[in-house]
Amino acid sequence: VASRPTLLDRYLQVPELSPAFREIAARVVQGTTVRGKAQATRDYLLANYEYSLNPTATSVEDFVVNQRTGYCEHFATSMVLLLRAQGVHARLVSGFVATEWNNASGYLIVRAKDAHTWVEVLDGDNWVRYDPTPSSFQQVSLITNILDNVRMVWYRNVVTYDLARQVQTANNLGRFLARGGSAVTSA
């Protein structure tokens, strides 16, 4: 009697993998717990592979077995497949990881370059986040933050200047002129 597939079975699916890839998975995915296996796999990728925006790998398997240079999708997909090949439930997650704070105005800046891919591993009943991609730190100058602030002010006060804000501005200007040009505060 065949067992019915569960919802979690999708997180164990693997494509056809070469013996070389499976050998690396068996060697790398070590540990007695899910956490230990995930950490060992992440640490292996961080220690033995390099980040590059111009990778030469033609597939994830080529990345793991031969080329060893790639960007976040290579690292995260590799970790997922290495873990799944050893029976660990893992999934690929894509989103944004914004780390740039605008000190001039006090907000987090999210840009297209902040797109990122990482891994989640099922540990008990919880999905735990792991990022096997090497970090890259960048300094953001005050001038960059000020320019971004000018763009944000333009967006808020010109691009999204709707009818309600136009009426509010007209009312404030009317009160200002009625007072002979003295400051008007709105409650």
Side-chain angles (χ1 to χ4, degrees):
V1 175
S3 64
R4 186 172 159 212
T6 68
L7 183 60
L8 288 177
D9 288 342
R10 76 173 65 187
Y11 302 113
L12 289 175
Q13 294 176 355
V14 292
E16 288 294 321
L17 298 170
S18 71
F21 188 98
R22 289 194 177 275
E23 184 277 320
I24 292 170
R27 182 170 37 86
V28 169
V29 183
Q30 297 294 317
T32 57
T33 64
V34 169
R35 179 179 305 229
K37 291 176 181 183
Q39 288 173 342
T41 306
R42 180 202 57 210
D43 293 348
Y44 170 79
L45 291 167
L46 289 171
N48 296 287
Y49 294 77
E50 292 181 29
Y51 186 85
S52 172
L53 289 175
N54 301 306
T56 57
T58 57
S59 67
V60 171
E61 190 159 345
D62 187 33
F63 169 76
V64 171
V65 176
N66 303 310
Q67 301 301 322
R68 296 179 177 247
T69 61
Y71 43 87
C72 62
E73 286 88 352
H74 292 99
F75 284 88
T77 304
S78 296
M79 183 172 174
V80 166
L81 290 179
L82 288 165
L83 289 168
R84 285 183 180 186
Q86 294 299 303
V88 177
H89 291 95
R91 66 184 178 190
L92 197 65
V93 181
S94 294
F96 292 87
V97 179
T99 58
E100 188 177 341
W101 183 258
N102 185 319
N103 287 323
S105 295
Y107 60 87
L108 193 62
I109 301 168
V110 180
R111 302 182 193 280
K113 69 178 180 66
D114 296 322
H116 191 57
T117 303
W118 59 93
V119 177
E120 288 183 349
V121 176
L122 187 61
D123 190 358
D125 291 332
N126 299 309
W127 289 100
V128 180
R129 180 178 186 258
Y130 292 90
D131 192 347
T133 306
S135 297
S136 62
F137 298 98
Q138 60 178 331
Q139 294 293 327
V140 178
S141 71
L142 181 58
I143 293 172
T144 301
N145 282 335
I146 291 170
L147 290 174
D148 188 76
N149 188 50
V150 168
R151 282 190 292 272
M152 182 59 79
V153 168
W154 174 262
Y155 178 79
R156 286 181 181 159
N157 296 313
V158 176
V159 175
T160 62
Y161 192 64
D162 61 6
L163 181 59
R165 294 205 41 217
Q166 291 174 20
V167 169
Q168 180 185 8
T169 301
N171 287 337
N172 287 343
L173 181 59
R175 285 194 301 254
F176 176 75
L177 295 173
R179 292 185 159 188
S182 60
V184 175
T185 58
S186 57

